[in-house]
C-alpha cells in the first residue's frame, strides 16, 4: 500500500509539472492574442458614416452577392437572395450569368460562345481598342494547326477571318501563316512551337474578362475583395489614428463621412482614377468642391477660389494675374 501511494504521488507530481509547462505556453498564446487583436475594431468607423444600420446591412449583402455572382458561385448567390430577402432584378444577374457561361466554356477550351459574343459586340469592342475577337480567331486557327496536315485546308480557309485585322495585327498573322510550312514536320519541333503553348488559354480568359467587364460597366475585380484587401492595409493605421484622437481629445478632426483625417497609401494596385488636392487648402477635391482652372492656367479648388475673391476680383496665388472669378472653368480628370 505504501509503495502504491508513493507511485501515485510521483505520478501526480509529474502530471502537475507537465501541466505547468503546458499552462505557461497556453497563457502566452492568450496574451499574444490580446496584444495583437483589438476587440473594438467596429469603433474605428463612426456609425454616422452610414445612414442607418439597415442601409449598412443592405450594402454589405449586395457586395457579397455581387462577389458570388462574379466568382461563378451562382447557387450560393441564389441561396443568399432567398435567405436575406434581397430583391435582385434579372438585369443585375444577366451579365454575370453570361460571363460565367462563356468563361466556363473557355476553361473547357470551347471558343464558340466567346466568338459569338465578340462578333455580336464587335463595334463596341473596336471603340475600346480591344483585340479580343482577333485573339479568339487566332486561338481557333492554332487549334486547327495542332490537328496536323489533315487540318491544313480547313486552317487556310479559316484564315479569311483575319482579313479585318490585317492592318493592326499584320506581324502576328504573318507568323501564323509561316507556321504552315512546318505543319507536315510537326509544329512541336519547329521555330513556331510557342504557338502551341497552353498559356494562350489563360491569356484569352483574362482578356475576355477584362474587355467584357469594361464593355458591360463592371469591375474586373470583385469590389468586395478590393475593399477587404484595402481594409487590411488601412485598418492598423486607422486604429492608431483613433487612439491618438481619443488620447488628445480632438474628436472633431474626423467628422466627414467621405474623407479620412490623413492619406493612407494603398499601393499602385488600388489606383483607379486620378485625384487632385488643392495646393491652397491642402484638401482633396470632390463633387461639391471641384477643381477650377484659372485663366492663367493654375488650378485650385472652388472653396479656395471663393476665399481668394476680394472686391469681385481674383488674384492668382501663384502669379500676379488678376481675373474675373466667373472665368474659371471646372476641370474633370
Amino acid at each position: 500500500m505504501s509503495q502504491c501511494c508513493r507511485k501515485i504521488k510521483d505520478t501526480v507530481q509529474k502530471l502537475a509539472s507537465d501541466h505547468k509547462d503546458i499552462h505557461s505556453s497556453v497563457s502566452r498564446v492568450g496574451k499574444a492574442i490580446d496584444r495583437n487583436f483589438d476587440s473594438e475594431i467596429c469603433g474605428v468607423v463612426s456609425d454616422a458614416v452610414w445612414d442607418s444600420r439597415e442601409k449598412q446591412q443592405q450594402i454589405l449583402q449586395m457586395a457579397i452577392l455581387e462577389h458570388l455572382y462574379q466568382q461563378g458561385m451562382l447557387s450560393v448567390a441564389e441561396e443568399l437572395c432567398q435567405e436575406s430577402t434581397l430583391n435582385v432584378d434579372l438585369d443585375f444577374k444577366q451579365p454575370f450569368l453570361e460571363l460565367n457561361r462563356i468563361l466556363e466554356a473557355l476553361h473547357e477550351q470551347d471558343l464558340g460562345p466567346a466568338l459569338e459574343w465578340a462578333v455580336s459586340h464587335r463595334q463596341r469592342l473596336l471603340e475600346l481598342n480591344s483585340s479580343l475577337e482577333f485573339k479568339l480567331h487566332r486561338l481557333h486557327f492554332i487549334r486547327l494547326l495542332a490537328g496536323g496536315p489533315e487540318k491544313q485546308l480547313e486552317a487556310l480557309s479559316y484564315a479569311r477571318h483575319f482579313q479585318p485585322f490585317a492592318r493592326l495585327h499584320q506581324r502576328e498573322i504573318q507568323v501564323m501563316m509561316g507556321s504552315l510550312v512546318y505543319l507536315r514536320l510537326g509544329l512541336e519541333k519547329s521555330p513556331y512551337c510557342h504557338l502551341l503553348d497552353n498559356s494562350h488559354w489563360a491569356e484569352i480568359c483574362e482578356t475576355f474578362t477584362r474587355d467584357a467587364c469594361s464593355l458591360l460597366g463592371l469591375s474586373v475585380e470583385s469590389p468586395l475583395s478590393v475593399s477587404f484587401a484595402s481594409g487590411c492595409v488601412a485598418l492598423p493605421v486607422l486604429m492608431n489614428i483613433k487612439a491618438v484622437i481619443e488620447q488628445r481629445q480632438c474628436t472633431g478632426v474626423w467628422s466627414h463621412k467621405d474623407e479620412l483625417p490623413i492619406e493612407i497609401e494603398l499601393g499602385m494596385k488600388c489606383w483607379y482614377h486620378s485625384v487632385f488636392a488643392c495646393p491652397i487648402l491642402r484638401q482633396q477635391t470632390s463633387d461639391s468642391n471641384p477643381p477650377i482652372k484659372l485663366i492663367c492656367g493654375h488650378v485650385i479648388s472652388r472653396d479656395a477660389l471663393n476665399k481668394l475673391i476680394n472686391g469681385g476680383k481674383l488674384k492668382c496665388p501663384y502669379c500676379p494675374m488678376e481675373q474675373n472669378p466667373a472665368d474659371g472653368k471646372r476641370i474633370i480628370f
Side-chain angles (χ1 to χ4, degrees):
M1 182 66 71
S2 176
Q3 291 178 354
C4 184
C5 290
R6 194 181 305 111
K7 187 178 292 185
I8 292 173
K9 185 177 179 180
D10 293 342
T11 304
V12 170
Q13 288 179 348
K14 185 177 184 302
L15 288 173
S17 176
D18 293 343
H19 179 268
K20 185 177 180 181
D21 295 337
I22 296 173
H23 178 74
S24 176
S25 301
V26 171
S27 63
R28 283 199 296 269
V29 171
K31 291 177 182 178
I33 292 174
D34 294 338
R35 186 170 59 253
N36 290 285
F37 291 89
D38 193 331
S39 59
E40 296 297 331
I41 291 178
C42 295
V44 172
V45 179
S46 172
D47 291 336
V49 172
W50 309 99
D51 297 331
S52 64
R53 185 166 293 277
E54 292 75 17
K55 182 70 173 178
Q56 177 182 357
Q57 187 175 4
Q58 184 180 3
I59 291 174
L60 179 59
Q61 288 175 348
M62 286 300 296
I64 295 173
L65 189 66
E66 183 174 345
H67 175 79
L68 294 174
Y69 275 123
Q70 193 157 2
Q71 298 300 315
M73 304 170 70
L74 307 181
S75 60
V76 182
E78 292 297 330
E79 190 70 25
L80 176 61
C81 285
Q82 294 176 6
E83 295 187 5
S84 62
T85 65
L86 283 174
N87 295 321
V88 181
D89 296 333
L90 183 61
D91 294 338
F92 175 81
K93 301 179 185 178
Q94 192 59 38
F96 296 107
L97 297 175
E98 187 176 19
L99 289 180
N100 281 292
R101 177 180 63 84
I102 296 173
L103 280 173
E104 285 179 7
L106 287 175
H107 288 312
E108 296 174 1
Q109 299 191 356
D110 180 7
L111 295 168
L115 273 169
E116 183 180 348
W117 185 90
V119 171
S120 62
H121 295 83
R122 176 179 295 167
Q123 189 57 41
R124 296 181 63 189
L125 287 171
L126 290 175
E127 292 173 0
L128 294 173
N129 295 322
S130 170
S131 58
L132 174 63
E133 186 180 353
F134 169 75
K135 289 182 177 180
L136 288 168
H137 285 304
R138 182 186 66 177
L139 197 54
H140 186 79
F141 182 82
I142 292 172
R143 289 193 70 182
L144 294 175
L145 293 179
E150 295 80 8
K151 295 286 185 177
Q152 183 172 2
L153 291 178
E154 188 178 350
L156 285 170
S157 178
Y158 191 83
R160 297 172 184 173
H161 290 88
F162 295 138
Q163 184 177 356
F165 312 100
R167 185 174 61 86
L168 296 175
H169 302 279
Q170 181 180 358
R171 176 60 182 165
E172 294 171 89
I173 295 173
Q174 288 174 344
V175 170
M176 286 186 289
M177 293 298 103
S179 66
L180 291 169
V181 177
Y182 293 89
L183 198 58
R184 294 187 179 278
L185 299 175
L187 289 181
E188 298 84 357
K189 301 177 182 180
S190 72
Y192 299 93
C193 60
H194 65 277
L195 294 175
L196 303 177
D197 195 338
N198 284 328
S199 63
H200 293 305
W201 288 99
E203 179 188 349
I204 201 64
C205 288
E206 293 177 4
T207 303
F208 171 78
T209 302
R210 183 184 65 249
D211 292 351
C213 287
S214 178
L215 195 68
L216 297 172
L218 303 173
S219 59
V220 177
E221 295 183 75
S222 162
L224 181 65
S225 61
V226 173
S227 300
F228 180 80
S230 302
C232 290
V233 176
L235 189 58
V237 181
L238 294 177
M239 290 173 64
N240 291 335
I241 294 172
K242 180 174 178 290
V244 171
I245 290 175
E246 291 177 349
Q247 183 180 2
R248 299 187 180 182
Q249 298 180 353
C250 49
T251 54
V253 173
W254 190 358
S255 58
H256 298 287
K257 289 184 178 182
D258 57 349
E259 187 175 307
L260 296 174
I262 64 168
E263 184 176 347
I264 298 177
E265 182 63 47
L266 298 177
M268 290 288 293
K269 188 178 180 180
C270 293
W271 286 16
Y272 294 100
H273 56 82
S274 301
V275 295
F276 176 77
C278 175
I280 306 300
L281 299 181
R282 306 291 182 183
Q283 293 179 352
Q284 184 175 316
T285 53
S286 61
D287 291 337
S288 59
N289 180 30
I292 304 295
K293 176 179 175 294
L294 306 180
I295 294 177
C296 55
H298 295 108
V299 181
I300 59 177
S301 66
R302 179 180 288 171
D303 288 351
L305 182 145
N306 293 333
K307 290 183 178 181
L308 291 171
I309 296 176
N310 187 10
K313 289 290 184 180
L314 170 68
K315 185 175 181 179
C316 176
Y318 288 97
C319 64
M321 183 176 181
E322 287 192 358
Q323 50 201 292
N324 187 349
D327 293 335
K329 294 184 177 180
R330 177 177 178 176
I331 289 182
I332 299 176
F333 291 100

